[in-house]
Amino acid sequence: MAGLCALLVAGALFVAATASMVGGVAGFYVPPPGPAAACGLKVGYYRDRCPHAEDIVRGVVGAAVLRDPGVGAGLIRMLFHDCFVEGCDASVLLDPSPANPQPEKLAPPNNPSLRGFEVIDAAKAAVEAACQGVVSCADVVAFAARDASFFLSNSRVAFQMPAGRLDGRYSNASRALDFLPPPTFNLAQLVANFAVKGLSVEDMVVLSGAHTVGRSHCSSFVPDRLAAPSDIDPSFAFTLRGQCPASPSPGNDPTVVQDAVTPNTLDSQYYKNVLAHRALFTSDASLLASPATAKMVVDNANIPGWWEDRFKEAMVKLAAVEVKTGGNGEVRRNCRAVN
Ligand code: HEM
Ligand SMILES: *[C@@H]1O[C@H](CO)[C@@H](O)[C@H](O)[C@H]1NC(C)=O
């Protein structure tokens, strides 16, 4: 919904214009939207409100990623799964409650595979101890994804993350199924799925590069990708058949690494894997299905720093999807429950 975001920006400009017209009378100052403003978000949003907020989150995430790099992968994925459903509003963090027994968290794309929730809890607890009721859970998710990217890339993916998101009060499992793309999607379906959220074909290709870290359950690509015919490299398919049961079930669903070459490093190896037909999902392989996206894959794979530069920008764009910056949200006390 580029429209929604543009509307928000337009709305903010309108408010700013109105405010500056009456500003002399009311005596309040509305800062102009800076170059880094993304849909009403601002770099350094907590500088005055909670000066150490970003450092605190980074400390918690750094320690967690050091202990388990997989949790860093989980945090990067969490931003995607939060933002594509109700916007980046921490709706993915809400636990089931009597009032809402089926939140996003319980939807199949999130349950049981999405991880990192305890890291968000720890980061939120630490920022609450410093500044009570100031830092939203949605911003903690965005900072955590940024910081996980930094640590997993050995600091090559370093960027500023605009903030000022509010937390939502609505979370609905069936809407996670409506908006999160399944691994069986082809190129046209992926492009359409990202377009709904205002993201371009290149954003989609670049963000898919996150599959250079973390893991997948066998059930996410078995049997479809291992059944013949498949474009998958035969020796890679052979290895995967050794790691996965022929019919995964909830009780027997092991995991495999997404990037067998550098499994815990956020780098451009993913694109080399796609080119070598050593990628897990149909969605990964489908990036080669058009000349334009195939060219992006080749550039991301071969030009040093190319993918990293684009990934930083695409993460900021992802983290601005349908954000709540007006009065339509709250700063949750506990990320797992609405206030
Ligand atoms: C393009 C469409 C996408 C599809 C179809 C897709 C699908 C999947 C699937 C099926 C898994 C494995 C889940 C499991 O079985 O455990 C996965 C894992 C992952 N995805 Fe995606 N994904 C997509 C885009 C993204 C984006 C945009 C990001 C973040 C920027 C992302 C980050 C990750 C990460 C880091 C993992 C590993 C998670 C972990 O180890 O816990 N994915 N994805
Ligand atoms: C959840 O979303 C679906 C559409 O995906 C809708 O039909 C349903 O009414 C929603 N449930 C609630 C409780 O809002």
Side-chain angles (χ1 to χ4, degrees), residues 10-334:
L13 286 173
F14 173 72
V15 170
T18 320
S20 57
M21 280 187 276
V22 297
V25 181
F28 57 87
Y29 168 71
V30 179
C39 291
L41 304 176
K42 225 180 104 204
V43 168
Y45 180 81
Y46 292 109
R47 206 169 286 148
D48 300 326
R49 294 169 173 89
C50 185
H52 299 297
E54 293 196 38
D55 299 334
I56 292 169
V57 174
R58 175 157 296 205
V60 171
V61 171
V65 172
L66 198 62
R67 242 179 286 123
D68 176 7
V71 107
L75 291 169
I76 294 170
R77 185 175 186 227
M78 190 179 285
L79 180 69
F80 172 48
H81 284 209
D82 184 29
C83 295
F84 264 46
V85 190
E86 317 305 340
C88 312
D89 70 343
S91 50
V92 73
L93 302 180
L94 292 171
D95 279 344
S97 68
N100 185 14
Q102 288 297 318
E104 283 167 41
K105 194 180 248 181
L106 297 189
N110 295 324
N111 182 31
S113 66
L114 192 59
R115 47 180 172 163
F117 294 108
E118 323 70 37
V119 181
I120 300 295
D121 289 337
K124 171 68 169 174
V127 290
E128 283 296 296
C131 327
Q132 210 182 344
V134 174
V135 183
S136 70
C137 297
D139 281 340
V140 172
V141 168
F143 291 145
R146 180 270 306 266
D147 297 337
S149 303
F150 175 82
F151 291 113
L152 290 176
S153 67
N154 298 314
S155 77
R156 285 193 185 89
V157 176
F159 59 100
Q160 296 193 299
M161 178 57 86
R165 299 164 191 80
L166 290 175
D167 300 324
R169 299 178 51 84
Y170 180 78
S171 181
N172 176 341
S174 80
R175 288 176 57 85
L177 284 169
D178 293 342
F179 291 108
L180 293 172
T184 49
F185 263 13
N186 65 27
L187 182 58
Q189 292 169 314
L190 291 170
V191 168
N193 177 268
F194 275 63
V196 166
K197 300 298 169 183
L199 298 179
S200 69
V201 176
E202 187 170 21
D203 294 329
M204 188 277 290
V205 173
V206 164
L207 288 169
S208 294
H211 291 169
T212 183
V213 289
R215 68 186 185 192
S216 171
H217 289 77
C218 292
S219 57
S220 294
F221 59 91
V222 178
D224 60 314
R225 291 281 287 159
L226 299 186
S230 159
D231 74 292
I232 219 163
D233 171 75
S235 76
F236 186 52
F238 181 83
T239 306
L240 293 173
R241 279 190 203 100
Q243 294 174 293
C244 289
S247 322
S249 61
N252 183 18
D253 193 3
T255 59
V256 306
V257 296
Q258 300 242 29
D259 170 4
V261 184
T262 53
N264 293 324
T265 310
L266 192 78
D267 57 13
S268 57
Q269 179 63 40
Y270 166 80
Y271 298 96
K272 298 192 165 111
N273 297 343
V274 169
L275 288 171
H277 300 274
R278 290 171 164 261
L280 294 179
F281 309 136
T282 299
S283 59
D284 299 319
S286 78
L287 302 184
L288 297 177
S290 82
T293 54
K295 163 97 166 61
M296 294 172 199
V297 172
V298 170
D299 288 346
N300 285 323
N302 295 334
I303 307 175
W306 185 267
W307 173 72
E308 284 82 354
D309 283 348
R310 277 154 190 76
F311 186 69
K312 295 173 205 173
E313 289 192 11
M315 285 290 275
V316 170
K317 227 173 137 181
L318 171 64
V321 168
E322 297 165 24
V323 290
K324 300 176 168 69
T325 48
N328 54 348
E330 62 187 16
V331 173
R332 242 177 251 158
R333 278 186 290 272
N334 167 357

